[in-house]
C-alpha cells in the first residue's frame, strides 16, 4: 500500500539514490511523489533483505526502454523483479533465475476497450474476449490486458515496442491485489 504515513515515507525515502530523489522531486503532485518514494523505498527494502545488504546499497541499472534491474555489481544477478503501481497499490514480483513481469490495474470502465482489444490482443485472446457477455467484458478485458503488459514488462520492451512473443513461453497467474483491482504475474517457463 503506497499511501503510508509521512514519517514512514521519510524513513523509506532515505534509502533512495540521488537520481531516484530527483525523479520524485520532478513529479508535480505531492501524492505522486509520496507514492513513487513509498514504492521505490519498499522495493529497495525487499531486494536488500534478499541480498543481505542495506537498502541504500542496492544498485539498479536500466534496460534500453527503462526496465530496472539489479546492477551487475550486486551480489546476486540471478534475482529478478518486476514492479507495477496503480493508484495507491503497488505489487513487486520476485523470481530467481527466470524473468518475471507483473502488471496491476484498477478495474474501471474503458470506453474504447473493444478497439484496444482488437488492436493489441492476439487472435485467440480477442476471439475469447469478444465471446464474453456484457457482464464479464470489463474483467475479461483487464485480465487479458494485464497479462499482455506483464509479459511485455518481463521482456523489458513495453507495449509500444514492436516485438513478437509467444504467450506459451510464460506461466501466467491472475490475482486480485485489492478489491477493485486486477493483476497478472508471469514467469518465463
Ligand atoms: C513499462 C510500461 C509497460 C509500464 O506500464 P504502466 O502500466 O504504465 O506502469 P506500471 O506501474 O505497471 O509499471 C511501472 C514500473 O515498471 C517498471 N518499468 C519501467 N520501464 C519498464 C520496461 N521497459 N520494462 C519492464 N518494466 C519497466 C518500473 O519498475 C516502473 O516502476 P517505477 O515507475 O516505480 O519506476 C510502460 O510504461 C511502457 O510500455 N513503456 C515503454 C515505452 C512505451 O512503449 N510507450 C508506449 C506505450 S503504448
Amino acid at each position: 500500500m503506497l499511501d503510508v504515513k509521512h514519517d514512514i515515507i521519510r524513513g523509506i525515502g532515505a534509502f533512495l539514490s540521488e537520481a531516484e530523489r530527483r525523479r520524485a522531486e520532478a513529479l508535480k503532485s505531492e501524492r505522486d511523489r509520496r507514492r513513487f518514494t513509498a514504492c521505490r523505498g519498499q522495493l529497495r527494502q525487499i531486494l536488500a533483505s534478499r541480498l543481505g545488504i542495506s537498502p541504500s546499497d542496492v544498485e539498479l541499472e536500466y534496460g534500453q526502454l527503462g526496465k530496472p534491474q539489479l546492477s551487475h555489481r550486486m551480489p546476486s544477478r540471478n534475482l529478478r523483479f518486476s514492479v507495477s503501481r496503480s493508484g495507491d497499490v503497488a505489487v513487486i514480483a520476485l523470481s530467481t533465475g527466470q524473468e518475471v513481469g507483473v502488471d496491476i490495474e484498477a478495474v474501471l470502465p474503458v470506453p474504447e476497450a473493444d478497439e484496444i482489444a482488437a488492436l493489441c490482443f492476439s487472435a485467440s485472446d480477442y476471439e475469447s474476449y469478444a465471446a464474453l457477455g456484457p457482464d464479464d467484458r470489463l474483467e475479461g478485458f483487464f485480465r487479458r490486458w494485464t497479462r499482455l503488459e506483464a509479459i511485455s514488462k518481463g521482456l523489458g520492451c513495453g507495449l509500444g515496442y514492436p516485438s513478437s512473443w509467444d504467450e506459451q513461453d510464460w506461466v501466467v497467474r491472475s490475482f486480485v491485489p485489492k478489491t477493485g483491482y486486477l493483476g497478472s504475474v508471469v514467469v518465463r517457463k
Side-chain angles (χ1 to χ4, degrees):
M1 304 307 297
L2 298 178
D3 287 344
V4 290
K5 292 199 177 116
H6 282 272
D7 52 334
I8 296 179
I9 296 283
R10 257 197 307 280
I12 289 175
F15 301 144
L16 268 57
S17 68
E18 238 352 271
E20 288 166 341
R21 269 181 222 154
R22 278 199 302 275
R23 186 174 159 198
E25 278 159 21
L27 295 169
K28 282 205 184 87
S29 93
E30 200 268 332
R31 193 189 62 182
D32 288 349
R33 287 196 290 276
R34 250 190 303 118
R35 287 178 174 175
F36 171 75
T37 303
C39 184
R40 191 49 75 95
Q42 290 182 76
L43 172 67
R44 285 180 162 275
Q45 280 181 309
I46 289 168
L47 293 173
S49 76
R50 296 298 172 109
L51 299 174
I53 61 175
S54 141
S56 46
D57 288 337
V58 171
E59 274 184 41
L60 301 178
E61 59 191 24
Y62 295 87
Q64 261 186 342
L65 291 159
K67 181 184 166 85
Q69 60 196 31
L70 281 171
S71 143
H72 62 280
R73 284 189 290 274
M74 290 289 95
S76 174
R77 286 277 289 162
N78 237 355
L79 185 60
R80 320 284 178 105
F81 65 89
S82 180
V83 179
S84 184
R85 298 189 276 134
S86 179
D88 64 341
V89 189
V91 172
I92 295 171
L94 297 178
S95 161
T96 315
Q98 295 299 335
E99 201 46 79
V100 62
V102 69
D103 187 60
I104 61 168
E105 301 286 345
V107 180
L108 297 169
V110 180
E112 65 280 19
D114 290 355
E115 288 79 5
I116 296 173
L119 201 66
C120 299
F121 292 173
S122 66
S124 68
D125 245 12
Y126 181 70
E127 201 182 315
S128 62
Y129 168 76
L132 293 172
D135 291 349
D136 300 322
R137 274 276 169 117
L138 191 60
E139 189 179 319
F141 173 80
F142 278 106
R143 213 171 270 284
R144 289 163 181 78
W145 177 258
T146 55
R147 183 173 64 210
L148 208 60
E149 281 249 42
I151 293 174
S152 81
K153 289 170 76 176
L155 290 167
C157 59
L159 276 179
Y161 191 71
S163 168
S164 60
W165 65 67
D166 190 345
E167 291 194 12
Q168 305 297 322
D169 293 342
W170 300 83
V171 179
V172 180
R173 294 285 180 275
S174 296
F175 62 97
V176 178
K178 181 187 173 183
T179 307
Y181 289 76
L182 256 186
S184 292
V185 61
V186 303
V187 181
R188 203 196 279 272
K189 283 181 187 164

